[in-house]
């Protein structure tokens, strides 16, 4: 690839980086101001079940990616607790009660998980990853390839 094409690609990715950065800032403000504690109802739920899902174990890594699923009961209805982390913590609490937040007929472990579990929160994290990718690609195309002038 000649230097003119590399510069053109670098400029495209830099422009995309700036546009996505602005979008990330706006979305971050909306996500942080989107769900307030006043919008949520504090409830006491009872832990019914805790399961651990191992997603993938790479050969190069010794540790696998683990996710937990906590099922809790509130007013005789079962809910999956969103944002729950720490398998060992919840296993010891099976059958016990803890305080959670009810928002849009969903149970969240805390306010931060309620904010980031919305569709805007998901879009924000996707754009954040894309923003980083654009920056890395712009850096890649800004370096000269060996043997080209």
């Amino acid at each position: 690839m000649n230097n003119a094409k590399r510069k053109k690609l670098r400029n495209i990715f830099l422009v995309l980086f700036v546009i996505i950065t602005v979008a990330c800032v706006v979305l971050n403000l909306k996500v942080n101001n989107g769900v307030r504690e006043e919008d949520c109802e504090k409830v006491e739920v009872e832990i019914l079940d805790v399961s651990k899902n191992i997603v993938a174990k790479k050969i190069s890594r010794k540790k696998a990616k683990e996710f937990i699923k906590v099922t809790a009961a509130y007013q005789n209805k079962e809910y999956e607790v969103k944002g729950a982390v720490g398998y060992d913590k919840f296993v010891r609490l099976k059958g016990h009660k803890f305080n959670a937040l009810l928002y849009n007929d969903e149970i969240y472990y805390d306010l931060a998980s309620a904010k980031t579990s919305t569709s805007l929160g998901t879009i924000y994290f996707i754009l954040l990853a894309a923003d980083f990718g654009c920056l890395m690609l712009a850096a890649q195309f800004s370096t000269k390839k060996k043997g080209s002038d």
Side-chain angles (χ1 to χ4, degrees):
M1 184 180 303
N2 62 19
N3 279 340
K5 277 188 179 180
R6 293 178 72 78
K7 284 181 181 179
K8 186 177 182 180
L9 284 172
R10 179 199 65 200
N11 291 339
I12 289 171
F13 284 117
L14 283 175
V15 168
L16 279 174
F17 172 74
V18 169
I19 291 169
I20 294 174
T21 299
V22 170
C24 283
V25 169
V26 171
L27 278 176
N28 186 12
L29 293 172
K30 288 189 181 275
V31 167
N32 284 333
N33 295 333
V35 179
R36 296 181 315 268
E37 202 164 348
E38 300 87 44
D39 301 334
C40 303
E41 179 184 346
K42 290 183 181 180
V43 296
E44 186 175 70
V45 297
E46 181 181 349
I47 298 174
L48 299 177
D49 187 40
V50 180
S51 61
K52 185 187 322 187
N53 297 332
I54 298 175
V55 173
K57 187 171 185 175
K58 291 184 178 180
I59 296 171
S60 61
R61 287 192 311 179
K62 293 184 180 183
K63 242 185 157 180
K65 187 69 176 167
E66 299 173 348
F67 293 97
I68 65 166
K69 180 180 178 183
V70 177
T71 307
Y74 172 67
Q75 293 183 345
N76 299 326
K77 189 176 174 186
E78 287 187 16
Y79 293 92
E80 179 182 341
V81 179
K82 309 237 188 246
V85 293
Y87 179 75
D88 297 332
K89 175 181 171 183
F90 283 101
V91 169
R92 288 191 291 266
L93 294 176
K94 250 186 203 181
H96 289 22
K97 295 181 178 185
F98 73 98
N99 293 324
L101 296 174
L102 179 66
Y103 178 72
N104 285 345
D105 202 34
E106 297 279 341
I107 297 288
Y108 295 96
Y109 182 69
D110 57 1
L111 186 60
S113 60
K115 286 182 178 188
T116 57
S117 294
T118 62
S119 58
L120 278 179
T122 304
I123 292 169
Y124 168 71
F125 285 114
I126 291 169
L127 282 180
L128 203 58
D131 198 30
F132 181 74
C134 285
L135 182 62
M136 291 298 104
L137 286 169
Q140 175 67 31
F141 287 117
S142 68
T143 59
K144 279 190 175 182
K145 197 171 181 179
K146 285 186 179 180
S148 64
D149 293 326

